[in-house]
Amino acid sequence: MLPSISVITPSYNQGQFIRQTIESVLSQEYPRLEYIVVDGLSTDNTLAIAKSYGNRLTLVAERDRGQTDAINKGLRLATGDVVCWINSDDYFLPGTLMAVGQFFGNHPNALWLTGDCQIVNESGQVIQEPVRQYKRLLRSLVPAVYMGVTNTICQPATFWRRSVHEQLGYLDESLRYTMDYDWWLRLLTCQPPAVSRQLFTAFRIHQASKGGSEFEKQFAEDYETLLRHYKSPMVRALHRWHNQAIVEVYKRIK
């Protein structure tokens, strides 16, 4: 039997992109879908777009303490067997939820699943393909190794059983950039991820996104997050060197 899936979208002033995000979720034709949009009282047309979908989604519109708080609100409201979040500037590719549902239905002991994702720019054109292929290669290694080197997990392409929140709690709201990386490392203490090579999502980088405009701050918090979970001086040194190298690459390709 296919499990029910809850998808959460945190949003704030993403009117330029959110319709594509919403359409990508609702067009999945998955029979047991719950979709929750949590908006922090956007001042652009985001709320009008979300409201136009009526009861096809659950809309929560209220002030929040930032993206992580909004995601946690959605996760606490969710009723699905499997949960995920997709940001309001990213989007699912066709067939994603059916592939995810079939995987969890066929693997009742699997805790979490991560897939592949395209990296796209503001207009949806594929960019940074070498970065995608590099992370794809790393995910073929032992999880405890590649997760120590860098955050190779594509956030919008990752799904887990909602029941794990009873054990691990929710996302760390003190983190602005790496709440996902921290969550993957916490999930890893329970079970390594199942890795799919299927393209599940498109992850968008644009000038206003954190990954586009604040990547140096993101990598700094990334290293601080690693320190919480890895005690090995060798892993810490490798991770720091890797982040510094990637920052230099990002500076050149921007």
Side-chain angles (χ1 to χ4, degrees):
M1 181 178 177
L2 291 173
S4 54
I5 299 179
S6 294
V7 178
I8 291 94
T9 292
S11 72
Y12 185 72
N13 288 349
Q14 289 284 2
Q16 181 180 359
F17 303 117
I18 194 168
R19 188 178 298 278
Q20 184 176 20
T21 302
I22 293 173
E23 290 287 348
S24 78
V25 176
L26 297 181
S27 66
Q28 290 290 308
E29 298 182 352
Y30 191 76
R32 305 186 66 199
L33 171 65
E34 176 182 60
Y35 188 29
I36 303 170
V37 176
V38 184
D39 185 87
L41 296 182
S42 292
T43 57
D44 65 357
N45 61 339
T46 297
L47 275 172
I49 292 171
K51 288 176 180 177
S52 72
Y53 288 88
N55 62 7
R56 297 180 67 193
L57 56 79
T58 298
L59 174 62
V60 178
E62 60 188 27
R63 295 195 183 281
D64 56 46
R65 297 185 300 275
Q67 180 186 14
T68 313
D69 177 39
I71 296 166
N72 278 341
K73 285 182 181 180
L75 289 172
R76 289 188 171 99
L77 286 173
T79 62
D81 302 311
V82 174
V83 295
C84 70
W85 87 84
I86 185 164
N87 292 324
S88 50
D89 49 2
D90 302 330
Y91 54 92
F92 285 141
L93 299 178
T96 290
L97 293 188
M98 184 58 71
V100 169
Q102 289 175 342
F103 171 82
F104 281 103
N106 293 331
H107 299 83
N109 295 322
L111 183 64
W112 59 306
L113 169 69
T114 189
D116 201 0
C117 66
Q118 294 175 332
I119 305 172
V120 300
N121 64 12
E122 186 169 318
S123 60
Q125 296 175 315
V126 175
I127 59 173
Q128 298 186 17
E129 189 64 10
V131 174
R132 175 194 156 224
Q133 294 296 341
Y134 173 59
K135 289 192 173 184
R136 183 182 173 103
L137 175 64
L138 286 179
R139 288 195 298 271
S140 68
L141 304 177
V142 177
V145 173
Y146 69 69
M147 292 286 282
V149 174
T150 188
N151 181 9
T152 61
I153 302 295
C154 182
Q155 175 269 307
T158 305
F159 304 77
W160 59 94
R161 295 192 186 276
R162 183 171 58 89
S163 58
V164 77
H165 288 291
E166 297 175 6
Q167 178 180 349
L168 297 181
Y170 291 87
L171 305 186
D172 186 338
E173 294 179 16
S174 72
L175 299 172
R176 170 173 167 76
Y177 305 98
T178 58
M179 75 294 278
D180 58 341
Y181 186 35
D182 177 73
W183 182 243
W184 313 147
L185 292 172
R186 288 158 65 191
L187 284 171
L188 186 61
T189 64
C190 299
Q191 187 183 101
V195 178
S196 171
R197 296 180 68 83
Q198 181 174 333
L199 275 168
F200 284 162
T201 55
F203 172 75
R204 195 188 308 268
I205 294 179
H206 54 95
Q207 198 59 40
S209 66
K210 293 178 184 177
S213 62
E214 303 177 17
F215 62 90
E216 290 186 78
K217 294 179 181 179
Q218 181 173 330
F219 278 114
E221 187 176 278
D222 179 271
Y223 181 65
E224 293 300 318
T225 300
L226 173 96
L227 297 182
R228 300 182 179 191
H229 298 274
Y230 284 82
K231 304 301 182 184
S232 166
M234 182 177 297
V235 171
R236 291 179 172 189
L238 179 60
H239 187 97
R240 189 167 191 173
W241 170 84
H242 182 274
N243 276 6
Q244 290 171 343
I246 295 298
V247 165
E248 292 306 312
V249 170
Y250 275 26
K251 287 179 179 177
R252 287 196 292 269
I253 64 178
K254 281 181 65 65

